[in-house]
Amino acid sequence: ETGVTQTPRHLVMGMTNKKSLKCEQHLGHNAMYWYKQSAKKPLELMFVYNFKEQTENNSVPSRFSPECPNSSHLFLHLHTLQPEDSALYLCASSQGHFVVLAGSGETQYFGPGTRLLVL
Amino acid sequence: AQKITQTQPGMFVQEKEAVTLDCTYDTSDQSYGLFWYKQPSSGEMIFLIYQGSYDEQNATEGRYSLNFQKARKSANLVISASQLGDSAMYFCAIPHSSASKIIFGSGTRLSIRP
């Protein structure tokens, strides 16, 4: 497989459920990201990992718990979510978390996303 | 702080026509870059084109080109000879000052009519 993959592609869960989203990148990148995309809202960065270490937590509620066991895999563990958490969750990776500096031209490569519906 | 503004929530264009998607930005950085991404209904965010603020010539990638006007702080995406497969959401983005994240605009939904 190539690029960034995400599973599952679609997920429906109740507010009391516990589920996990998985992201895997096959690009040899060192940084991975979780984004949330809600309807009619700009893309929101949730977490950043660089070389397996979390470098950014964008004030995300504790019901979202990320895990990065290695540079190729990123998980988002979900528990006691709310209906307003329904959104498209996108994973991305880049060579390093500072490579989006101006002039570098490096960018983030995104997975296809997981469409989450919380009932 | 960086800010990206896309003023066109939706656009309809006839197939084979050229289309310009607007993007204005605000940044205090002396050196920065602008990205454009395409997001089809499948959800994946696809990188299209990039231009750095010190690049003298407008970037081009196939049918995509960036009309970069620093004085006006605009970085419009031009798609030539539009195709039905171009129908998607388009996002303009700029790196955040901390350089560990990208700030995205609210997007423009482009629909190509046959």
Side-chain angles (χ1 to χ4, degrees):
Chain A
E1 292 202 60
T2 58
V4 183
T5 58
Q6 288 185 244
T7 54
R9 294 295 309 276
H10 301 271
L11 179 62
V12 180
M13 59 187 288
M15 289 190 285
T16 58
N17 292 156
K18 288 185 180 181
K19 297 288 184 182
S20 295
L21 310 185
K22 179 183 176 182
C23 175
E24 185 173 358
Q25 58 94 2
H26 308 269
L27 300 168
H29 289 165
N30 298 310
M32 297 188 78
Y33 311 76
W34 278 117
Y35 285 88
K36 176 184 178 183
Q37 187 178 28
S38 305
K40 300 181 181 179
K41 291 175 83 173
L43 211 61
E44 302 172 66
L45 179 69
M46 299 175 73
F47 301 103
V48 180
Y49 276 83
N50 190 44
F51 289 98
K52 304 186 298 179
E53 298 297 321
Q54 188 180 120
T55 58
E56 189 118 11
N57 177 338
N58 205 23
S59 302
V60 180
S62 59
R63 57 185 184 270
F64 295 92
S65 175
E67 179 190 0
C68 188
N70 54 61
S71 293
S72 299
H73 294 85
L74 184 65
F75 295 90
L76 188 63
H77 303 302
L78 317 171
H79 63 97
T80 59
L81 293 193
Q82 304 297 313
E84 59 264 30
D85 297 322
S86 298
L88 178 68
Y89 289 84
L90 288 162
C91 174
S93 71
S94 64
Q95 186 60 45
H97 80 312
F98 283 118
V99 293
V100 291
L101 283 170
S104 72
E106 290 284 346
T107 186
Q108 295 173 352
Y109 294 87
F110 287 80
T114 296
R115 291 192 187 276
L116 174 66
L117 177 62
V118 182
L119 300 176
Chain B
Q2 277 75 4
K3 185 180 177 183
I4 287 282
T5 302
Q6 293 180 256
T7 57
Q8 307 153 307
M11 289 186 71
F12 287 89
V13 173
Q14 204 68 30
E15 190 180 9
K16 299 182 184 177
E17 289 184 350
V19 57
T20 298
L21 304 181
D22 295 341
C23 172
T24 57
Y25 60 89
D26 193 14
T27 179
S28 54
D29 291 343
Q30 294 298 309
S31 178
Y32 53 91
L34 274 300
F35 299 88
W36 275 94
Y37 290 85
K38 171 184 178 182
Q39 187 179 38
S41 57
S42 59
E44 184 177 358
M45 197 74 77
I46 303 168
F47 167 66
L48 294 179
I49 196 168
Y50 167 87
Q51 178 147 358
S53 57
Y54 285 101
D55 293 336
E56 293 188 356
Q57 294 207 342
N58 284 340
T60 59
E61 289 288 344
R63 293 185 300 112
Y64 304 109
S65 61
L66 241 170
N67 184 3
F68 194 40
Q69 298 184 39
K70 283 177 67 174
R72 298 178 61 185
K73 292 194 173 181
S74 75
N76 299 336
L77 177 70
V78 180
I79 306 175
S80 62
S82 57
Q83 302 172 357
L84 296 178
D86 294 332
S87 294
M89 284 289 289
Y90 288 82
F91 293 92
C92 182
I94 189 169
H96 191 272
S97 292
S98 70
S100 64
K101 53 189 175 183
I102 300 176
I103 307 299
F104 288 81
S106 55
T108 295
R109 181 171 296 281
L110 176 65
S111 299
I112 307 298
R113 292 192 180 115

